[in-house]
Amino acid sequence: MSKLQSPFTLAWCALIALTLVFLAVQGSARWLVAYPEDWVVPITPLLNSFMDWCVDVFGPFFRAFSAALDVPMTAVREFLNWLPWSVTLTLVTFAAFAVSGWQLAVFSFLSVLYMVVIGYWHESMNSLALVAISVPLAVFVGFALGTLAFYSERAERMIRPTMDLLQTVPAFAYLLPILLLFGFGPVVGLIASVLYAFPPTVRNTMLGLRRVPQEVIEAGLMSGATGSQLFWRVRVPSAMRQILLGVNQTTMAAFSMVIIASIIGGTADIGWEVLSTMRKAQFGESLLAGIVIALMAMVMDRITAAAATAEPKEPVLDESFVSRHRVWIIAAALGVGVALLAQILPFLNEYPRSWEIFPARYLNDAVTYIVVEYADLISMIKTAAFFFVMLPVKIGLTETISPYTWGFEFTTTLKLAYVAAAVVLVLWSAWRQGIGAALFVAFCATLLYFGLTRLPWLTLLAMATLLSWQLAGPKLALGTVIGLGFIIVSGVWPQALLSIYLCGLAVLLSFAIGATLGILASEFDGLSAALRPFNDTLQTMPLFVLLIPFLMIFKIGEFTALLAIMAYAIVPAIRYAEHGLRSIPAHVIEAATAIGCTRSQLLWRVKLPLALPVMMLGLNQTIMFGIAMLVIAALVGTNGLGQRVYIGLGDGDFGVGIVAGLGMAIIAMIADRMTQAWSQKRQKELGLSSE
């Protein structure tokens, strides 16, 4: 191991030293630190030219396809708005009861009733129409591609990276080519939702079909099943639970596109209500509308998840048609009965406007009260976080410390003291933890002194490549060079660093807080039960809605964006930490207890080391969630790649938007591969891997 690690150790020492040298001579050789604009490859104009050609050649076909899809979507939207609200309420409540019982039925009833009472029924139905069309289309496309990948290795090699790209490129980035090809209108939002939502079904279909036991396949072959019968009557039913989990994730992805689709859809749906009220700073109204989307998402999530995880019923011989379809018959009877009742009682058909409750004014007054009464505390929190945490990471202590920000000047004496303290800390880390920890401390001290956005592009590229090689070998290192090289030569490296700074800081804080909560939840069942609805709410809440409470109190700025990213990214850190600690084999705990470990020793010396690989998968998901939220957070005043995506969308500049979107996807994929590789390596070291 020492022979393997020695070249990496020397390389890290050389790169940190080279970084300091480059920073010292940047006055005479600026290109060593900042990538010269003269070296930027004009990728954006080439992409725009290609897109113009596609629009000229294929535009008529895509617009005809858009017009064809408009017919079923309009029909579904009009049907849902025509259907009495009481019928929809009854059917949703019965569906929840049928798959999960009375608790989910009560929650679903109250959730749908909220949409009625609050006065957003028709807007909710317009959004539901989008989901009702996009989810079946996405499931159909995803199932077809997943099946193709299952049967063809060549197809799988093409489909897997495509799924990675679609799930990591921000949705806003590919809204632009959709707009250019299909034009504005509700169908454009539908197409965007399908593209964003179908990858989970692809992955779960592939996984489900591969996990069908071989003895089940052999039994089907022995009974004389043809190829088609073997697939539809053996493989698909056996894989149905996994496929339905993909349908659940696809449904949630479609709901997360509701607001994004409303930007280009041009319909009076609930997403448009959230966006329009946010733009007018009507926070009470936007929060009430956002809760509608959150409730719709949670109801659909619970119902589809319960259907996916339900135990399949054993087939009964000679079962009658009525018994076999009992649930559907009851649902139809309830729907028809309530519809007839609505003809007698008009309020069951159209909820009276005078009965609506819309407490937006009280919410706005409450926010105003908090902002006014606690203005000093809010300002102190925001200022302290920005000047003492965020700016040092972004531009370094040398640019941050001043009489205006910290109350004193960063004199030469203080700079020398900082360097001396950093050297002492590096030496202490080398003595106590080893050379690897010392190198990490040296890098952090350099980063904090100069700031991430002021570090040399050349050494940062080399460090990322070296880390990839160290974790996963030369293939990932080559991919890292190509990916980051694209970001650099396309001219968006400064914006990429701004995105990495904000997302990285949010991920570190989210993981630290989330892992701590997960550890405590694994030790205390009461805290675990209390955190469960908190996690569920944050994970099903649409991304835009998470911005609203922070925007209400802290207004526009990077601190607001940081909090919004943390709120969305903290859930995987909590869940994976608790799951990893609770999944440790019982015999390991018993052995550690038998040799006299205290509860503290059991946690720190047994449980945490064994749970660390699973917790690192949580870090992986925290990074993915943080990057997904980054482009949404750009709405509240952040700079970086997310902002360039919006600039491209607003200006109709395909090249600008897609280059920024690809940049975010590259960063996400590199981080994903690194954390997964580290987790797998750690599992092998602990003997937890099945390979």
Side-chain angles (χ1 to χ4, degrees):
M1 179 63 71
S2 60
K3 291 182 180 179
L4 180 64
Q5 294 297 330
S6 180
F8 288 117
T9 301
L10 293 175
W12 280 111
C13 291
L15 284 177
I16 293 174
L18 199 61
T19 299
L20 296 174
V21 171
F22 284 178
L23 289 167
V25 302
Q26 63 178 310
S28 56
R30 183 63 184 166
W31 65 271
L32 291 173
V33 176
Y35 189 77
E37 291 185 8
D38 296 341
W39 295 5
V40 172
V41 178
I43 297 174
T44 299
L46 294 174
L47 289 173
N48 284 331
S49 298
F50 172 74
M51 195 64 207
D52 291 341
W53 176 81
C54 288
V55 171
D56 292 337
V57 175
F58 302 109
F61 167 77
F62 285 112
R63 292 179 191 269
F65 181 70
S66 176
L69 281 179
D70 187 55
V71 175
M73 185 169 180
T74 302
V76 171
R77 185 169 61 247
E78 291 180 353
F79 173 75
L80 289 175
N81 279 287
W82 167 82
L83 198 67
W85 65 267
S86 54
V87 174
T88 305
L89 174 65
T90 302
L91 293 177
V92 171
T93 304
F94 177 73
F97 178 79
V99 299
S100 185
W102 67 268
Q103 289 182 322
L104 181 57
V106 171
F107 175 74
S108 302
F109 176 85
L110 295 176
S111 298
V112 177
L113 188 62
Y114 170 85
M115 304 172 202
V116 179
V117 174
I118 213 71
Y120 279 136
W121 181 250
H122 292 293
E123 291 84 357
S124 301
M125 293 303 99
N126 289 339
S127 294
L128 187 59
L130 173 69
V131 177
I133 296 293
S134 63
V135 169
L137 282 174
V139 169
F140 173 77
V141 173
F143 180 78
L145 289 176
T147 303
L148 178 62
F150 170 72
Y151 280 110
S152 171
E153 290 186 7
R154 181 179 299 177
E156 183 186 357
R157 285 196 294 269
M158 297 175 62
I159 288 171
R160 277 192 180 276
T162 304
M163 296 304 99
D164 291 341
L165 196 63
L166 284 173
Q167 287 193 297
T168 51
V169 172
F172 283 94
Y174 56 77
L175 282 183
L176 191 52
I178 294 172
L179 271 175
L180 294 173
L181 291 170
F182 293 93
F184 284 87
V187 175
V188 183
L190 169 66
I191 295 167
S193 295
V194 171
L195 285 176
Y196 186 72
F198 82 86
T201 300
V202 177
R203 295 185 185 280
N204 281 277
T205 299
M206 292 164 56
L207 185 62
L209 292 174
R210 284 205 172 92
R211 285 185 173 179
V212 176
Q214 188 60 35
E215 55 268 22
V216 174
I217 306 298
E218 292 173 357
L221 291 172
M222 291 175 63
S223 64
T226 64
S228 175
Q229 291 172 331
L230 187 67
F231 178 74
W232 290 108
R233 298 187 182 183
V234 178
R235 290 188 187 275
V236 171
S238 300
M240 186 54 69
R241 178 178 291 189
Q242 189 70 45
I243 294 171
L244 286 176
L245 287 174
V247 173
N248 168 260
Q249 295 174 29
T250 290
T251 304
M252 299 309 298
F255 264 108
S256 70
M257 280 293 292
V258 164
I259 299 182
I260 297 175
S262 68
I263 295 176
I264 56 177
T267 57
D269 58 10
I270 199 67
W272 178 252
E273 288 294 326
V274 174
L275 279 178
S276 60
T277 50
M278 277 181 64
R279 288 168 178 168
K280 298 173 185 174
Q282 296 173 335
F283 298 119
E285 290 83 349
S286 63
L287 184 60
L288 291 175
I291 290 173
V292 171
I293 300 177
L295 291 175
M296 290 174 68
M298 284 189 277
V299 168
M300 294 301 295
D301 175 55
R302 302 298 192 279
I303 291 175
T304 54
T309 55
E311 289 292 335
K313 294 182 179 180
E314 292 293 331
V316 179
L317 295 176
D318 300 326
E319 188 178 16
S320 67
F321 177 86
V322 174
S323 298
R324 194 163 57 250
H325 300 92
R326 182 177 63 255
V327 172
W328 292 102
I329 293 172
I330 295 173
L334 283 172
V336 172
V338 175
L340 293 174
L341 189 61
Q343 304 308 310
I344 302 172
L345 302 174
F347 74 90
L348 292 178
N349 187 32
E350 187 70 32
Y351 192 79
R353 184 72 66 175
S354 59
W355 293 8
E356 292 177 358
I357 302 172
F358 196 69
R361 181 168 62 87
Y362 302 105
L363 290 173
N364 288 328
D365 291 343
V367 171
T368 302
Y369 175 81
I370 293 173
V371 170
V372 172
E373 292 297 321
Y374 299 97
D376 293 339
L377 177 62
I378 292 171
S379 177
M380 183 185 71
I381 294 172
K382 187 174 180 178
T383 302
F386 186 68
F387 286 116
F388 292 97
V389 179
M390 299 179 72
L391 272 185
V393 176
K394 181 180 180 181
I395 59 175
L397 293 172
T398 56
E399 297 291 325
T400 302
I401 297 178
S402 69
Y404 172 71
T405 55
W406 286 43
F408 58 86
E409 194 74 40
F410 198 28
T411 60
T412 303
T413 303
L414 290 176
K415 292 178 181 178
L416 291 174
Y418 177 87
V419 173
V423 170
V424 170
L425 189 58
V426 168
L427 294 175
W428 182 85
S429 300
W431 175 53
R432 296 292 301 227
Q433 303 293 331
I435 191 66
L439 289 171
F440 178 74
V441 170
F443 174 77
C444 291
T446 304
L447 183 148
L448 197 61
Y449 187 84
F450 292 101
L452 177 64
T453 59
R454 298 173 62 226
L455 292 181
W457 64 272
L458 199 56
T459 54
L460 284 178
L461 173 63
M463 287 178 182
T465 305
L466 181 62
L467 183 60
S468 298
W469 194 313
Q470 193 169 0
L471 290 174
K475 286 186 178 179
L476 182 58
L478 179 61
T480 301
V481 169
I482 294 172
L484 295 183
F486 170 81
I487 294 175
I488 292 170
V489 301
S490 60
V492 294
W493 180 249
Q495 290 79 13
L497 287 182
L498 289 173
S499 295
I500 293 171
Y501 134 74
L502 185 62
C503 187
L505 188 58
V507 165
L508 287 176
L509 293 172
S510 297
F511 186 72
I513 298 170
T516 302
L517 290 174
I519 292 169
L520 292 173
S522 71
E523 296 290 310
F524 304 101
D525 292 338
L527 179 60
S528 176
L531 284 175
R532 201 169 297 124
F534 169 79
N535 290 336
D536 290 344
T537 302
L538 286 180
Q539 203 154 33
T540 53
M541 189 82 72
L543 303 188
F544 274 88
V545 180
L546 289 176
L547 283 178
I548 297 172
F550 301 113
L551 194 59
M552 291 162 67
I553 296 173
F554 294 103
K555 309 304 178 186
I556 288 175
E558 287 187 357
F559 181 64
T560 301
L562 178 74
L563 292 178
I565 296 171
M566 288 177 60
Y568 186 61
I570 196 172
V571 175
I574 298 174
R575 285 187 161 162
Y576 277 82
E578 182 179 0
H579 175 70
L581 290 165
R582 288 184 180 272
S583 300
I584 293 173
H587 68 272
V588 175
I589 307 298
E590 293 170 0
T593 305
I595 63 175
C597 283
T598 64
R599 186 172 183 176
S600 175
Q601 290 172 330
L602 186 65
L603 174 64
W604 290 101
R605 297 187 181 182
V606 178
K607 289 184 176 180
L608 279 177
L610 290 174
L612 195 56
V614 178
M615 293 173 68
M616 286 301 294
L617 291 177
L619 175 61
N620 170 277
Q621 291 300 297
T622 300
I623 294 170
M624 295 298 105
F625 278 43
I627 292 175
M629 189 65 189
L630 189 63
V631 70
I632 308 297
L635 286 173
V636 295
T638 64
N639 293 316
L641 294 175
Q643 191 64 38
R644 287 187 67 85
V645 170
Y646 286 116
I647 291 172
L649 185 61
D651 295 343
D653 194 323
F654 171 75
V656 168
I658 205 67
V659 166
L662 287 173
M664 297 183 74
I666 288 167
I667 294 169
M669 285 190 283
I670 291 172
D672 173 62
R673 300 301 188 273
M674 283 185 178
T675 50
Q676 285 199 30
W678 191 95
S679 177
Q680 291 169 4
K681 180 182 291 188
R682 182 64 178 163
Q683 286 182 11
K684 288 180 181 178
E685 291 173 355
L686 294 171
L688 301 175
S689 176
S690 59
E691 297 179 3

